[in-house]
Amino acid sequence: MTVISPAEVAKHKTKDDVWVILHGKVYDLTKFLPEHPGGQKIILKYAGQDATSAFDPIHPPDIIDRFLPPEVCLGEVNAAELAAVEKVETEQEKKLRIARENKPRLEEMYNSFDFESVAKNVLAPDAWAYYSSGSDDEVTMRENHNAFHRIWLRPRVMVDVAKIDMSTQMLGSKCSIPLYITATALGKLGHPDGEKVLTRAAAKRDVIQMIPTLASCSFDEIVDTRIDGQTQWLQLYVNSDRKVTQKFVEHAEQRGIKGLFITADAPQLGRREKDMRQKYSNEAPDEMDDSTVQRDQGAARAISSFIDPSLNWKDIAWFKSISKMPIIIKGVQCAEDALLAAKHGCQGVVLSNHGGRQLDFAPSAIEILPEVMDALKRENLDKDFEVYIDGGIRRGSDIFKAIALGAKGVGIGRPFLFAMSSYGDAGVERLLELFQNELEMCMRLMGARTIADITPDMVDIRNLKDHFVANPTDYLAKHAYEKMHPRGNLSKL
């Protein structure tokens, strides 16, 4: 392969002649520039340079081989000369480096909000905006957590709780706790190893990991990281090209994936304004004509244009014809759709509003859980049909409340991203330990020795649907949350 000097690469840095270095190879992206889903500006920013650090967080490693012709690879960069090129630390990089150097010790992390507050300081602005953003006014995103505060506990005493067993089975797989690490995209925005960090931590704590379609790591990288006997599920965004979806699903089943979670709540992506505003601020308004790039889309839209908006209940039969994996519909937000999922032969649903990232003012999963369970029981559809929830779960007591109301288990996403971004593998393991410790304590104080002992009569939900009932102020959530601001308050003048 031809060896090219960094000096030669540096000559090709215009819109009509764009070379970049990725993982030691030199690519001519001139013809690809107008087609780049993330816009031209980010490629031009790194034109003539090594773009690996910007490329890795939002692209799986095999994406170039899959989507670009081999002739775009011009050769290898001279590694010795590239290593000798002086790297200038930007002000932003300096700020993040200092934040990481001065972050609290891991032992000082006592709850999920501690990790969130650290992540806010150590993540790059675009990463924080993508991870933390919700749709529109972020009312649903905040309500997801607030709703748990309207459920009160009814402890039972004088119960032998010397031994607590939190283990359970989800979709037939044994796990140490009724919790799974749910699918979240772009793990490498927070850590160089991305989703593999979550895989390793899940293995050590014996919990299930749901692999996202839009992972930074390739699907096979994540699967190859698991240990023998470790259970993984797949979250699926259905591609408009069903042949692509079929190939992916069949490959996942061959690799031993134990559950297919079809995301149904994203026929169009919600307006995540923090993410969109960050995208805009990174673009120079006078550098490109408006007709050549959209500056208001953000990372989320740049990576999700393939999602099929025509997905409907008739498609379940097709999925059942191509896979024997249990099929779960993810993103159900009312009892009627849970019933339809059961009637169409699905094995379960995830009550979810996409972490408050889709339709603002959609209900929280915990709020609709009781009515979903009641509807399933009325029609005798609750047997062999598993209901999961995600969104807003931040304490072991939240897990307890969900199980009491009928959930088989809960999915947790953002907190693990924040733990991973701040402390890597050890951070995720620490957070899992905290959830386990909190649930164990809650079960012991509630008089529940096993998961089966957690019953509906242990919770008081009379205020659950009253969104105006007075609650004690949750100062941890209040201070971890980053308020939204109108554009005028963000002026650079």
Side-chain angles (χ1 to χ4, degrees), residues 440-455:
E440 180 180 8
M441 180 189 71
C442 186
M443 289 175 65
R444 180 168 281 122
L445 296 178
M446 286 295 296
R449 290 173 292 190
T450 69
I451 296 300
D453 293 327
I454 303 175
T455 53

Side-chain angles (χ1 to χ4, degrees), residues 469-488:
V469 67
N471 284 320
T473 301
D474 183 350
Y475 289 106
L476 286 174
K478 181 179 179 180
H479 289 291
Y481 175 68
E482 182 175 344
K483 297 178 183 177
M484 299 183 72
H485 296 281
R487 185 64 183 91

Side-chain angles (χ1 to χ4, degrees), residues 271-273 275-277 279-280 283 293-299 301:
R271 290 175 53 84
R272 304 163 191 177
E273 294 178 15
D275 184 33
M276 295 163 72
R277 202 179 296 283
K279 172 69 175 176
Y280 189 100
E283 304 262 17
V293 63
Q294 291 179 306
R295 299 190 184 90
D296 62 350
Q297 300 302 293
R301 295 190 179 221

Side-chain angles (χ1 to χ4, degrees), residues 22-163:
L22 295 170
H23 293 288
K25 294 182 179 180
V26 179
Y27 294 90
D28 182 350
L29 300 183
T30 308
K31 292 182 179 178
F32 175 67
L33 187 64
E35 302 172 9
H36 184 231
Q40 301 180 30
K41 179 64 172 66
I42 188 64
I43 293 179
L44 290 174
K45 179 180 179 180
Y46 290 93
Q49 305 173 59
D50 187 348
T52 305
S53 62
F55 174 87
D56 275 353
I58 56 176
H59 301 89
D62 58 349
I63 195 168
I64 292 179
D65 294 334
R66 286 192 287 128
F67 291 104
L68 293 181
E71 56 266 25
V72 301
C73 182
L74 304 178
E76 295 180 342
V77 70
N78 187 306
E81 292 183 18
L82 182 63
V85 175
E86 184 179 357
K87 294 182 175 61
V88 180
E89 185 179 52
T90 66
E91 283 300 312
Q92 182 63 57
E93 289 169 340
K94 180 180 179 181
K95 179 181 176 182
L96 296 178
R97 174 177 57 79
I98 293 173
R100 287 193 174 275
E101 290 172 353
N102 292 280
K103 68 186 179 186
R105 292 177 295 113
L106 180 58
E107 301 80 55
E108 298 178 67
M109 300 293 102
Y110 291 127
N111 56 67
S112 62
F113 295 109
D114 284 346
F115 288 103
E116 183 172 353
S117 65
V118 174
K120 186 189 300 186
N121 293 325
V122 302
L123 279 170
D126 56 345
W128 172 252
Y130 179 71
Y131 284 169
S132 68
S133 61
S135 63
D136 295 350
D137 301 315
E138 298 187 340
V139 172
T140 286
M141 185 179 78
R142 288 175 283 160
E143 164 64 8
N144 281 346
H145 177 61
N146 292 339
F148 283 94
H149 298 163
R150 300 195 297 273
I151 302 173
W152 291 81
L153 301 173
R154 303 181 66 245
R156 301 302 301 270
V157 298
M158 298 299 289
V159 179
D160 180 358
V161 287
K163 293 182 179 179

Side-chain angles (χ1 to χ4, degrees), residues 364-430:
S364 67
I366 192 67
E367 180 179 328
I368 66 169
L369 178 57
E371 62 194 72
V372 167
M373 298 309 302
D374 288 344
L376 290 169
K377 289 173 182 175
R378 277 197 306 270
E379 301 205 20
N380 294 315
L381 294 171
D382 57 318
K383 304 295 188 293
D384 301 319
F385 187 82
E386 300 186 1
V387 177
Y388 298 89
I389 75 165
D390 67 31
I393 297 138
R394 298 294 183 268
R395 289 284 190 183
S397 57
D398 297 338
I399 302 172
F400 186 98
K401 293 172 183 178
I403 301 302
L405 293 176
K408 188 69 174 177
V410 305
I412 300 178
R414 281 190 184 96
F416 290 120
L417 289 179
F418 296 145
M420 175 187 74
S421 303
S422 304
Y423 298 94
D425 291 53
V428 181
E429 291 177 42
R430 169 69 171 169

Side-chain angles (χ1 to χ4, degrees), residues 189-214:
L189 283 175
H191 191 280
D193 278 355
E195 294 78 12
K196 292 186 291 183
V197 173
L198 305 177
T199 308
R200 293 191 293 258
K204 288 191 176 181
R205 286 286 166 179
D206 190 23
V207 300
I208 296 171
Q209 177 194 25
M210 185 189 294
I211 300 174
T213 294
L214 297 175

